[in-house]
Amino acid sequence: MKEQDSLAFRPLLLERQEGSATHQLAAMDTDPPLQLRVFDLNCWAIRYLSKVRQERIGMIGDTLSQEGFDLALLQEVWSERDYCELKQKLTACYPYSHYFKSGVIGSGFCVFSRYPILDTFLYQYSLNGYPYMLQHGDWFCGKAVGLLIIKICGIIFHVYVTHLLAEYCRDKDAYLPHRVVQAWELAQFIQHTSKGADVVLLGGDLNMHPGDIGIRLLRGWTGLRDSFADADRFEGCEDGYTLVPANCFTVNKELQPFPLGIRIDYILYKGLSRFVVKCDSLVTTTGTAPGKSIPYSDHEAVIATLSVQRREEAKGSSGSAVGPELVDVVNEARAEVRVRLHAAERQRYSNGRMASLALLLLLLQAAMGLSSLAGWDSPQPFPKFSSSLLSLLATVVLLLWMGLYVFHTIEVRVLQGTEEQMRLALQVLQDKLSSM
């Protein structure tokens, strides 16, 4: 009897438990949305080269301290001393911060947060320009993407900060294939590291216009939303431009094809699982900083106010939406990679041939030197000084072209790997489309 009574009461107990869980869930769903203010800026703080760098770093620190953002994502803070000065000034408002180190002169990324940073990770892009393009210096910077895991009011945020390869000439963009590879690696990195997140947030200088292949690939593959496109309210430069001729630090020659400016700095986001994210407002600075005679940087800052709300029902996945448009984008990106792959293979062949000729010349010089040491009376075709000079020149050429051969071999391998990844991705996308 007791066992039967116990069994009889079990459905009632289960109903009460389910009712209690539903009530708790409903209460969570009706909670006011979490408001998050995010500040993003490329600070253009190159030590000894950037104009009035220290004054501008001080201005940025003052603004961050006064405004009290929840997150500040900064790029191009190349000097760790500048980061330490900012950290000292902002400790009271932003007790948590991190500086990412990468490459020869660093990544330039630092993040300031009002909330605890649980974990960090840095991934350096496989391709980052060319070492012989010394006037640009991108290869030495160690361009990368930094990941921070932050917990805010019980919600897990995966925050990414990045800075992609710059575009120096719109018509003849030698870095376009490398930037496409970086965008692909960024998209893949976000996809593979955000599975445990509730909210994904990406900020940084992407060096891509909104319609460029790289940004379409990144957004299409990850499902990230553009804060400018989705903002309920916008205030700032026309069309959200972040590089404008009105800024006194901007090189107007670079903006000739775009007299009003360009938008290359972004705050992108998406909600996963039981969370939905929307952009309430987006603001950009407009040249000169308030109360000052100079701007914060040659870029305009982007400030987004996001609201995070729980969904009524959990979603299984909020990745990329499979459609013909995404297939076209991946195909276009793959074609760009393949064009550069063929060019890199030709360059590698030329470098290898030049290195082989230099090595052959050195071997001939060595053979002539050994014959003189052995006492063979063979006439010397060159005077001793000229022979030494020729040997030195051949050694320099050998080292230079061997270095370039190694670099282009690495480039070819990366491009081959990326092209293969895209081929597999296209195959999966097409299989999904055919089964729909």
Side-chain angles (χ1 to χ4, degrees):
M1 280 293 294
K2 286 182 180 178
E3 188 175 345
Q4 289 176 353
D5 290 343
S6 173
L7 288 170
F9 278 111
R10 278 181 192 173
L12 181 61
L13 182 61
L14 285 171
E15 282 180 19
R16 286 178 179 173
Q17 288 176 342
E18 288 173 1
S20 175
T22 305
H23 177 72
Q24 289 177 0
L25 216 54
M28 292 168 69
D29 289 337
T30 56
D31 284 344
L34 170 69
Q35 294 284 328
L36 193 73
R37 295 181 69 218
V38 183
F39 178 93
D40 175 81
L41 177 64
N42 178 326
C43 298
W44 187 52
I46 308 170
R47 202 170 183 185
Y48 307 121
L49 295 177
S50 297
K51 298 175 183 177
V52 288
R53 173 184 58 85
Q54 289 179 307
E55 183 180 349
R56 291 188 295 102
I57 287 291
M59 288 165 49
I60 292 168
D62 292 339
T63 298
L64 293 179
S65 179
Q66 293 163 11
E67 292 291 334
F69 301 104
D70 295 294
L71 279 173
L73 313 176
L74 306 182
Q75 304 95 53
E76 287 205 16
V77 182
W78 297 114
S79 169
E80 196 166 352
R81 183 181 298 177
D82 289 340
Y83 163 70
C84 291
E85 288 178 7
L86 283 171
K87 183 179 179 180
Q88 186 176 5
K89 179 180 285 191
L90 299 173
T91 300
C93 301
Y94 304 89
Y96 308 96
S97 63
H98 186 75
Y99 185 77
F100 290 98
K101 300 178 182 180
S102 171
V104 178
I105 62 173
S107 70
F109 306 151
C110 60
V111 176
F112 295 90
S113 170
R114 287 179 54 209
Y115 300 94
I117 297 173
L118 306 181
D119 199 2
T120 64
F121 186 76
L122 184 77
Y123 173 76
Q124 188 169 341
Y125 297 123
S126 303
L127 294 179
N128 190 34
Y130 309 101
Y132 46 83
M133 294 286 194
L134 298 177
Q135 72 275 26
H136 296 155
D138 291 89
W139 188 80
F140 300 94
C141 298
K143 295 287 176 70
V145 51
L147 163 65
L148 302 99
I149 300 176
I150 300 175
K151 191 173 185 178
I152 305 175
C153 300
I155 303 172
I156 300 298
F157 284 77
H158 281 208
V159 180
Y160 300 86
V161 58
T162 191
H163 185 188
L164 301 192
L165 192 56
E167 178 186 87
Y168 294 96
C169 179
R170 186 71 175 173
D171 296 329
K172 298 178 181 179
D173 187 4
Y175 294 131
L176 176 59
H178 283 205
R179 201 178 308 108
V180 169
V181 171
Q182 289 182 348
W184 174 254
E185 290 184 350
L186 175 58
Q188 290 282 69
F189 183 74
I190 291 173
Q191 280 291 85
H192 291 292
T193 58
S194 63
K195 297 188 186 301
D198 295 319
V199 175
V200 173
L201 181 64
L202 167 66
D205 177 4
L206 301 185
N207 275 311
M208 296 184 288
H209 299 222
D212 286 356
I213 176 59
I215 195 75
R216 288 186 284 123
L217 178 67
L218 172 63
R219 291 192 57 201
W221 192 253
T222 59
L224 289 169
R225 304 185 67 84
D226 184 359
S227 56
F228 172 76
D230 294 347
D232 293 338
R233 188 174 67 259
F234 172 74
E235 182 183 340
C237 297
E238 183 177 351
D239 292 330
Y241 295 143
T242 56
L243 212 58
V244 294
N247 188 308
C248 64
F249 296 133
T250 301
V251 180
N252 289 331
K253 185 180 177 182
E254 297 176 1
L255 289 177
Q256 276 183 354
F258 311 97
L260 297 178
I262 57 177
R263 182 163 75 95
I264 57 176
D265 299 88
Y266 298 82
I267 293 177
L268 308 176
Y269 60 88
K270 71 173 179 178
L272 293 92
S273 182
R274 289 191 50 83
F275 294 89
V276 61
V277 186
K278 63 188 291 282
C279 183
D280 294 334
S281 72
L282 187 78
V283 177
T284 67
T285 54
T286 54
T288 306
K292 302 290 182 179
S293 59
I294 57 172
Y296 296 110
S297 170
D298 60 343
H299 287 239
E300 301 304 321
V302 182
I303 304 157
T305 302
L306 306 176
S307 63
V308 182
Q309 180 74 57
R310 293 181 185 271
R311 299 180 193 271
E312 293 182 2
E313 293 183 6
K315 274 183 77 174
S317 171
S318 57
S320 57
V322 178
E325 298 84 3
L326 182 56
V327 173
D328 292 341
V329 168
V330 178
N331 261 321
E332 187 181 342
R334 186 185 176 200
E336 202 65 57
V337 170
R338 292 178 72 176
V339 168
R340 178 56 205 167
L341 174 59
H342 296 322
E345 287 173 337
R346 290 193 298 271
Q347 284 180 293
R348 180 178 65 167
Y349 174 75
S350 300
N351 297 151
R353 186 172 58 181
M354 289 296 295
S356 300
L357 289 173
L359 180 60
L360 181 62
L361 183 58
L362 274 177
L363 290 174
L364 287 172
Q365 291 287 100
M368 287 189 290
L370 287 173
S371 67
S372 5
L373 286 173
W376 298 339
D377 294 330
S378 56
Q380 292 291 334
F382 303 108
K384 199 167 188 180
F385 175 77
S386 299
S387 180
S388 302
L389 191 62
L390 191 62
S391 297
L392 178 63
L393 180 63
T395 303
V396 170
V397 169
L398 175 63
L399 292 174
L400 176 63
W401 291 106
M402 273 301 296
L404 290 174
Y405 177 81
V406 170
F407 168 78
H408 285 298
T409 299
I410 294 170
E411 184 186 21
V412 165
R413 294 284 184 265
V414 172
L415 290 168
Q416 286 174 338
T418 304
E419 196 270 338
E420 177 63 17
Q421 290 172 28
M422 289 179 172
R423 186 191 67 79
L424 289 172
L426 280 168
Q427 185 178 329
V428 172
L429 287 173
Q430 287 164 348
D431 289 344
K432 287 181 178 178
L433 280 174
S434 60
S435 64
M436 288 173 67

